[in-house]
């Protein structure tokens, strides 16, 4: 099938689609195309997820408005089905890949899930089909990893036997469907005609801009937009540490800085977690290491090709240090209250990585708890969204020697500081997200520390 024939099939909604990886991105994408009337096959390696999805039950935790009902609708109407068998892909015209792309302890993406997916897909890939990677990948990965594996596996040449592109997602837990519908997307094709065909596909589910470009640009945009956010947050965190040291209040400083035109200082806090921000800067950095010579501009002198990455690693180091800063504030406050950290009972408020979410991936609270345990503290954790920590807050607070607020869950904004203080053995409060003012905590009688606020005792 030629690209032109494929595009016509897509426009008529006759193209048979598939999504590999029915996680927090793949599942809503599959449902949205199915809802538009496409024949959708979802490939998922976990049998229990396949069974749940075919029963119209979403396996995704947390509040995802509309997803459960949409999944039930498209499965009950037979528009979408899930399978674990890659052979089922042999009649698919378009295959979207939404598998995880984590980095290892050396911040290098192993691409194990992606490579396995590509090997399995290559062996069943139908001639003339279009493969689109939606996962976030380092610049150069389409050229260096995806293209070779698909050509080897299928025995076909790119742009002759199959077509290839990348269209990174811009979703956020809690807003999966609305983000997919309303956020613009960069559409990177290995040829301009492929990009145009991809635009025809995504036009069915995306109401916002679809920006056609090449694959390297698409890889760069996705990783750079998240590296940008990480650096911005790191700047706010570094200013917070400076304020703590020199007698400032970062929350006031930030408010006044942002009155200056073209300033948008982000929120300092107890750390940066999640599935995107801690990982994507390293994918951007990795792109420099894996970019083949052929793609580096011929004019670049040899030494220029070793791009000295200083800002991205430094920002990651600042953000990763914030849970340790919280531990230091806690130790300092306990000393003021005549307590040692070793043997103290610490109530951690919030274990998710993000306010009003149940997602704990790369949670700063995890790093804090690890550090406090090393310092011989006894830990109790509360989180209204994370199932294993949904205990009774006041029960958990009894006889604690400190409360450490790590996540700005809405519930915590309504904490009765007076009532809570009377439950603790030692009234120490560490505010890692700037939810409360020094005046509020002082008035309630706490020994307190607030991130980015110097000690006013
Ligand atoms: N955080 C701060 N200060 C800030 C903002 C966030 O400390 O000013 C922390 C959060 O507490 C959290 C982490 O950073 O631990 C990440 O927060 P996030 O708001 O960036 O939420 P994510 O991880 O879900 O980011 C996603 C990203 N979207 C995609 O990758 C498609 C990100 O690019 C978006 O900017 C973000 O959602 C969003 O706000 O939509």
């Amino acid at each position: 099938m030629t690209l032109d024939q494929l595009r016509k099939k897509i426009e008529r909604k006759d193209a048979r689609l598939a999504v590999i990886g029915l996680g927090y991105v793949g599942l809503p994408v599959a449902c949205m195309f199915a809802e538009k009337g496409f024949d959708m096959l979802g490939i998922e390696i976990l049998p229990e997820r396949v069974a749940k999805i075919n029963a119209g039950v979403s396996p995704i935790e947390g509040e995802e408005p509309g997803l459960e009902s949409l999944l039930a609708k498209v499965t009950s109407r037979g528009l979408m089905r899930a399978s674990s068998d890659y052979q089922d892909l042999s009649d698919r015209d378009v295959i979207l890949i939404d598998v995880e792309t984590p980095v290892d302890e050396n911040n290098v993406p192993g691409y194990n899930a992606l490579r396995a997916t590509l090997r399995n897909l290559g062996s069943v890939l139908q001639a003339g089909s279009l493969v689109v990677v939606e996962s976030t990948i380092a610049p150069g990965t389409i050229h260096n990893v995806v293209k070779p594996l698909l050509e080897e596996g299928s025995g076909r040449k790119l742009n002759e036997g199959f077509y290839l592109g990348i269209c990174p997602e811009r979703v956020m837990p809690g807003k999966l469907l609305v983000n997919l519908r309303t956020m613009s997307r960069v559409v990177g094709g290995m040829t301009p005609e492929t990009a145009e065909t991809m635009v025809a596909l995504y036009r069915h589910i995306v109401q916002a801009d679809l920006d056609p470009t090449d694959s390297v640009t698409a890889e760069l945009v996705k990783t750079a937009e998240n590296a940008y956010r990480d650096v911005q947050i790191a700047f706010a965190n570094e200013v917070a540490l400076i304020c703590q040291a020199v007698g400032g209040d970062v929350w006031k400083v930030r408010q006044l800085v942002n009155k200056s035109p073209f300033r948008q200082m982000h929120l300092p806090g107890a750390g940066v977690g999640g599935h995107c921000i801690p990982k994507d800067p390293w994918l951007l950095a990795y792109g420099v290491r894996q970019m083949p010579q052929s793609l580096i501009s011929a004019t670049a002198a040899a030494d220029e090709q070793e791009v000295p990455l200083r800002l991205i690693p430094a920002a990651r180091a600042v953000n990763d240090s914030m849970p340790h800063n919280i531990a230091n504030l806690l130790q300092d406050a306990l000393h003021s209250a005549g307590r040692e950290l070793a043997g103290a009972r610490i109530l951690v408020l919030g274990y998710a990585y993000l306010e009003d979410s149940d997602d704990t991936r790369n949670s700063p609270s995890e790093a804090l708890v690890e550090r406090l345990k090393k310092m011989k503290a006894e830990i109790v954790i509360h989180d209204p969204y994370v199932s294993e920590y949904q205990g009774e807050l006041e029960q958990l607070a009894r006889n604690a020697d400190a409360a450490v607020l790590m996540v700005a869950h809405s519930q915590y904004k309504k904490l009765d500081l007076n009532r809570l203080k009377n439950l603790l053995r030692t009234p120490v409060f560490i505010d890692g997200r700037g939810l409360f003012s020094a005046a509020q905590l002082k008035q309630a009688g706490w020994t307190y520390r607030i991130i980015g606020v110097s000690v006013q005792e």
Side-chain angles (χ1 to χ4, degrees):
M1 175 171 34
T2 64
L3 208 48
D4 201 44
Q5 288 166 330
L6 177 57
R7 187 186 6 215
K8 289 193 171 61
K9 275 187 92 171
I10 288 171
E11 283 161 353
R12 293 194 310 269
K13 294 196 261 189
D14 290 344
R16 289 182 299 275
L17 310 186
V19 170
I20 302 176
L22 297 181
Y24 68 89
V25 179
L27 183 61
V29 166
C31 290
M32 288 172 76
F33 276 114
E35 184 191 33
K36 293 298 177 189
F38 282 96
D39 169 346
M40 174 57 75
L41 166 70
I43 293 289
E44 170 56 54
I45 50 169
L46 299 176
E48 63 274 14
R49 285 178 83 97
V50 169
K52 263 187 143 180
I53 288 165
N54 284 331
V57 175
S58 168
I60 292 180
E61 304 297 320
E63 294 293 308
E64 285 303 342
L67 183 58
E68 189 86 41
S69 54
L70 179 57
L71 174 60
K73 185 167 87 172
V74 295
T75 46
S76 60
R77 292 185 187 172
L79 288 166
M80 173 173 145
R81 66 188 177 84
S83 161
S84 297
D85 184 355
Y86 268 81
Q87 285 302 329
D88 293 349
L89 289 166
S90 55
D91 71 344
R92 296 290 113 178
D93 302 313
V94 180
I95 301 102
L96 309 184
I97 297 177
D98 282 285
V99 297
E100 61 163 11
T101 53
V103 294
D104 64 16
E105 63 284 355
N106 301 315
N107 302 312
V108 171
Y111 292 141
N112 299 338
L114 181 62
R115 291 175 191 278
T117 296
L118 292 164
R119 285 194 192 94
N120 291 328
L121 173 59
S123 60
V124 297
L125 194 61
Q126 176 186 237
S129 50
L130 166 63
V131 177
V132 179
V133 176
E134 293 197 323
S135 307
T136 304
I137 52 179
T141 302
I142 287 284
H143 280 271
N144 294 328
V145 176
V146 182
K147 171 179 174 282
L149 280 176
L150 285 178
E151 288 188 327
E152 281 156 39
S154 67
R156 297 196 187 96
K157 294 298 283 174
L158 172 64
N159 298 329
E160 293 164 23
F162 67 93
Y163 309 100
L164 176 59
I166 165 173
C167 185
E169 40 77 19
R170 283 177 170 158
V171 296
M172 192 178 175
K175 307 176 188 168
L176 295 180
L177 290 179
V178 68
N179 275 20
L180 281 168
R181 235 188 318 272
T182 60
M183 294 188 84
S184 70
R185 293 186 72 163
V186 178
V187 182
M190 289 297 266
T191 66
E193 297 75 24
T194 304
E196 288 310 322
T197 302
M198 293 165 67
V199 167
L201 173 72
Y202 283 99
R203 185 47 67 212
H204 287 291
I205 63 167
V206 176
Q207 293 156 3
D209 288 353
L210 290 169
D211 301 306
T213 185
D214 62 278
S215 67
V216 174
T217 301
E219 291 166 328
L220 284 164
V221 167
K222 170 64 186 178
T223 49
E225 71 189 35
N226 280 348
Y228 167 88
R229 187 166 176 81
D230 197 48
V231 168
Q232 291 288 343
I233 297 168
F235 176 78
N237 282 331
E238 189 137 286
V239 171
L241 297 177
I242 293 168
C243 289
Q244 273 175 208
V246 305
D249 175 336
V250 73
W251 305 97
K252 280 194 195 111
V253 167
R254 173 180 178 271
Q255 188 200 352
L256 296 174
V257 161
N258 287 347
K259 285 193 159 184
S260 168
F262 314 118
R263 289 350 181 246
Q264 198 191 4
M265 190 167 150
H266 283 36
L267 294 168
V272 174
H275 49 286
C276 305
I277 308 302
K279 168 185 65 115
D280 295 356
W282 293 121
L283 289 176
L284 176 59
Y286 184 71
V288 176
R289 280 187 258 168
Q290 74 157 347
M291 192 63 79
Q293 290 305 328
S294 60
L295 282 172
I296 291 177
S297 64
T299 54
D303 61 329
E304 282 169 13
Q305 289 169 12
E306 286 306 307
V307 177
L309 297 175
R310 292 186 288 266
L311 186 59
I312 288 171
R316 287 276 70 240
V318 169
N319 290 336
D320 280 350
S321 77
M322 296 314 283
H324 300 169
N325 174 51
I326 295 290
N328 296 340
L329 290 176
L330 172 61
Q331 189 163 41
D332 183 50
L334 283 170
H335 281 163
S336 304
R339 278 244 175 234
E340 288 306 313
L341 186 50
R345 179 183 165 91
I346 310 301
L347 169 61
V348 175
L349 296 176
Y351 203 78
Y353 85 85
L354 195 65
E355 54 273 13
D356 300 337
S357 164
D358 72 325
D359 195 334
T360 61
R361 279 172 289 187
N362 298 312
S363 165
S365 302
E366 198 175 344
L368 174 75
V369 166
E370 215 173 284
R371 187 165 178 88
L372 295 182
K373 283 184 173 167
K374 278 198 186 114
M375 298 161 92
K376 307 275 184 268
E378 181 200 338
I379 309 292
V380 283
I381 301 170
H382 176 268
D383 191 303
Y385 292 90
V386 180
S387 47
E388 60 263 49
Y389 301 127
Q390 286 169 328
E392 170 52 46
L393 200 165
E394 295 200 351
Q395 194 59 39
L396 292 168
R398 285 192 198 294
N399 297 323
D401 296 305
V404 181
L405 188 136
M406 291 293 286
V407 186
H409 286 322
S410 304
Q411 175 180 332
Y412 295 148
K413 292 174 185 162
K414 301 175 206 132
L415 276 175
D416 178 335
L417 293 173
N418 287 295
R419 185 178 169 83
L420 183 65
K421 176 204 161 245
N422 294 329
L423 294 169
L424 275 78
R425 179 168 60 190
T426 319
V428 167
F429 193 93
I430 309 300
D431 184 352
R433 293 289 174 184
L435 286 198
F436 301 102
S437 69
Q440 283 173 295
L441 291 163
K442 190 179 286 183
Q443 190 276 329
W446 292 89
T447 300
Y448 65 89
R449 296 290 184 275
I450 305 169
I451 188 98
V453 180
S454 62
V455 182
Q456 309 289 341
E457 268 160 357

